[in-house]
C-alpha cells in the first residue's frame, strides 16, 4: 500500500533535486498544493507515483547551435527542447528565442504546457523549447541562418506524431517559415511537424489571433457565470504583442473599454479607451516597429508613461499578457484597492505566487494562464488535425471551434473549483481538472 504523501514532502524532494531552477519550482509549487489531496485520495495515483512522475520531464535535449552569420562571423548559442509528458499525445509547445531562455524557464513552461494542453481536451502532450539567441536588431538573413542551424539539430527529435513545436516569444511566422523549410529539406517530408505555419504551406486561419481571442472568450464565460457581461467594463492590458493586441481588439468588439497596453519600456494609457481602428493599426504595424507603443503615442493614440506598468490604473478587469512574473504583490494590492474584480492571465505565469495569493484571498475571479490562454495551443491542435487530413478549414468554423473549446475549459474549471459558497477557485479547478486527465492517461498506460 502506498504511503500518504504531503505537499511539503514532495516539494522538498523536488527542491533538493532541482535547486537553482526558480521558475520551474514556482510552477510546481502552484500546482502541488491543489493536486496532492486528489493524489492521496486515489490508490491508483499513489501506487503509480503519479505526482512525482508528472513533475519530471520525460526527456530534455540540450544542444549547441554553432552558426556563421551574414558577415562571416561564427556565433554560438545554447538551445534546449524539454519533452515533458507524452501520455496524452505528441509533445506540443512553443519555441522561444530570447536571451533570458534557460533550462529552468523552459522546464516551467513545459510543465505548465502539459496541464494547459490537457484542459483543451485535444490529444496533445506537453513540451517547450528555445534558445538564448536574440533576434532583436538582426537582419532577415541572420535570422534565417540561425533558424536553419537550430533546426539542423532539432529535426532529429521532432515529428508529426512525436513532437510538434510552435512559436512563442520572438518566434513568429517568419521564424516558423525558416524552421519548417529547413526541416522539409533535411527530411524530404511535407508533414505537420510545426504549427503556426503560413497559410500557403499547411498553416491555419485564426492561429495568430487565437490566444488573444481565446482569452476574451474565456472572460466572456466568466462574466456569464457571474451574471454580468464584458460590455461597459474597463480593462487594463499589459503587453504589446500578438496576444495583448488581439485580446484588446476582441474585448473592444465585445463592448469593453481597453485603456492600456505596455512593454518593458513603459505604458501607453488612453483614458477614453482605444478604438478598433487604433488597435487594428497596431496589429498591422507592430512587427515592423521597434516600439509600437511609442509610435502610437506620437500619433496621439494615447499617453506614454516611461517605465510604468498598468496595474495602478482603476479598472474592472486586468489581463496580464506580457511575460512571467510581471505582476507582483504590490501590483495585486493596487488592483484590488482600485476595484478590480477579475484577473485573467494572457501570458504564462505572469503573476507571482504572492500576487496570486492576494487575488485568491480577496475571492475575485482569478484565472491562471493554463486555462485562460489555452486558445493558442487549442488552435495549434486544430492545425495538427488539418495537416493530418491535408485540408484547411474556414476561419469562421475555426473561430467557432475555438469558442467552444474555451467554454469547455471554463466548465471544467467550474466543475472542479466551485465552492459551497458559489465562489469558483479557477486556479484549483484548472489544476485538478488537468491533473485528473493526465493522471488517468498515465495510469492506463502503466509504468
Amino acid at each position: 500500500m502506498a504511503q500518504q504523501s504531503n505537499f511539503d514532502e514532495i516539494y522538498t524532494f523536488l527542491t533538493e533535486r532541482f535547486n537553482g531552477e526558480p521558475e520551474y519550482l514556482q510552477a510546481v509549487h502552484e500546482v502541488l498544493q491543489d493536486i496532492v489531496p486528489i493524489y492521496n485520495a486515489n490508490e491508483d495515483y499513489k501506487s503509480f507515483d503519479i505526482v512525482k512522475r508528472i513533475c519530471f520531464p520525460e526527456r530534455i535535449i540540450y544542444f549547441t547551435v554553432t552558426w556563421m552569420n551574414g558577415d562571416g562571423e561564427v556565433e554560438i548559442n545554447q538551445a534546449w527542447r524539454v519533452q515533458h509528458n507524452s501520455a496524452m499525445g505528441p509533445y506540443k509547445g512553443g519555441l522561444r528565442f530570447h536571451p533570458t531562455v534557460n533550462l529552468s524557464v523552459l522546464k516551467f513552461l513545459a510543465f505548465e504546457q502539459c496541464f494547459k494542453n490537457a484542459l483543451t481536451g485535444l490529444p496533445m502532450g506537453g513540451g517547450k523549447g528555445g534558445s538564448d539567441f536574440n533576434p532583436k536588431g538582426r537582419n532577415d538573413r541572420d535570422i534565417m541562418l540561425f533558424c536553419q542551424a537550430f533546426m539542423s539539430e532539432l529535426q532529429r527529435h521532432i515529428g508529426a506524431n512525436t513532437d510538434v513545436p510552435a512559436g512563442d516569444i520572438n518566434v513568429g511566422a517568419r521564424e516558423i517559415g525558416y524552421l519548417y523549410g529547413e526541416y522539409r529539406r533535411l527530411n524530404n517530408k511535407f508533414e505537420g511537424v510545426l504549427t503556426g505555419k503560413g497559410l500557403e504551406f499547411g498553416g491555419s486561419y485564426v492561429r495568430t489571433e487565437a490566444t488573444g481571442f481565446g482569452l476574451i472568450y474565456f472572460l466572456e464565460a466568466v462574466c456569464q457565470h457571474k451574471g454580468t457581461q464584458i460590455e461597459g467594463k474597463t480593462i487594463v492590458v499589459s503587453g504589446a504583442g500578438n496576444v495583448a493586441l488581439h485580446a484588446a481588439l476582441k474585448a473592444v468588439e465585445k463592448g469593453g473599454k481597453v485603456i492600456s497596453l505596455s512593454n518593458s519600456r513603459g505604458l501607453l494609457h488612453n483614458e477614453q479607451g482605444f478604438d478598433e481602428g487604433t488597435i487594428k493599426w497596431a496589429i498591422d504595424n507592430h512587427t515592423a516597429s521597434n516600439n509600437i507603443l511609442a509610435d502610437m503615442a506620437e500619433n496621439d493614440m494615447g499617453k506614454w508613461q516611461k517605465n510604468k506598468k498598468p496595474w495602478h490604473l482603476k479598472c474592472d478587469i486586468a489581463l496580464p499578457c506580457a511575460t512571467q512574473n510581471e505582476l507582483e504583490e504590490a501590483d495585486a494590492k493596487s488592483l484590488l484597492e482600485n476595484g478590480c474584480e477579475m484577473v485573467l492571465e494572457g501570458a504564462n505565469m505572469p503573476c507571482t505566487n504572492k500576487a496570486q495569493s492576494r487575488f485568491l484571498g480577496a475571492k475575485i475571479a482569478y484565472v491562471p494562464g493554463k486555462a485562460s490562454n489555452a486558445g493558442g495551443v487549442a488552435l495549434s491542435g486544430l492545425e495538427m488535425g488539418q495537416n493530418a487530413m491535408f485540408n484547411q478549414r474556414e476561419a469562421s468554423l475555426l473561430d467557432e471551434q475555438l469558442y467552444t473549446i474555451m467554454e469547455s475549459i471554463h466548465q471544467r474549471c467550474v466543475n472542479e473549483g466551485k465552492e459551497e459558497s458559489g465562489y469558483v477557485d479557477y486556479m484549483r479547478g484548472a489544476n485538478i481538472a488537468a491533473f485528473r486527465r493526465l493522471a488517468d492517461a498515465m495510469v492506463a498506460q502503466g509504468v
Side-chain angles (χ1 to χ4, degrees), residues 35 84 119 128 176 223 302 395 405-406 429 439:
I35 68 173
H84 197 95
L119 286 171
K128 208 75 176 184
I176 291 292
C223 288
I405 289 171
M406 299 310 296

Side-chain angles (χ1 to χ4, degrees), residues 241-292:
N242 271 333
V243 179
L245 293 174
H246 285 101
L249 177 62
K250 184 58 69 173
V252 171
E253 289 177 357
K254 297 282 184 180
K257 185 169 80 169
V258 177
I259 63 171
S260 75
L261 294 165
S262 70
N263 59 25
S264 59
R265 286 165 278 190
L267 162 70
L268 186 70
H269 180 210
N270 186 321
E271 193 171 357
Q272 284 69 46
F274 300 108
D275 58 37
E276 283 187 43
T278 296
I279 299 172
K280 287 179 178 177
W281 181 88
I283 289 170
D284 290 340
N285 292 279
H286 81 280
T287 55
S289 172
N290 287 325
N291 188 346
I292 189 64

Side-chain angles (χ1 to χ4, degrees), residues 77-191:
N77 290 97
Q78 294 180 288
W80 298 263
R81 183 66 178 173
V82 180
Q83 297 176 331
H84 197 95
N85 190 293
S86 59
M88 298 187 64
Y91 303 107
K92 187 79 192 80
L95 298 170
R96 176 177 294 192
F97 293 166
H98 196 273
T100 62
V101 166
N102 58 44
L103 184 56
S104 177
V105 169
L106 293 179
K107 281 180 65 178
F108 125 62
L109 291 168
F111 178 79
E112 285 278 295
Q113 196 76 49
C114 296
F115 285 76
K116 182 187 300 186
N117 294 0
L119 286 171
T120 68
L122 299 172
M124 299 182 291
K128 208 75 176 184
S131 171
D132 59 4
F133 170 72
N134 187 3
K136 296 293 185 183
R138 297 275 192 172
N139 59 42
D140 281 356
R141 178 169 173 76
D142 275 0
I143 290 172
M144 180 184 71
L145 291 170
F146 173 80
C147 287
Q148 290 172 341
F150 178 88
M151 182 54 79
S152 70
E153 175 60 32
L154 184 65
Q155 55 93 20
R156 307 172 196 274
H157 312 289
I158 61 176
N161 295 305
T162 303
D163 185 350
V164 184
D168 192 68
I169 293 174
N170 289 334
V171 179
R174 173 183 58 181
E175 290 75 17
I176 291 292
Y178 293 149
L179 291 164
Y180 188 75
E182 186 68 2
Y183 178 88
R184 182 181 55 79
R185 284 186 288 270
L186 291 172
N187 289 273
N188 194 29
K189 290 181 182 178
F190 192 96
E191 62 175 350

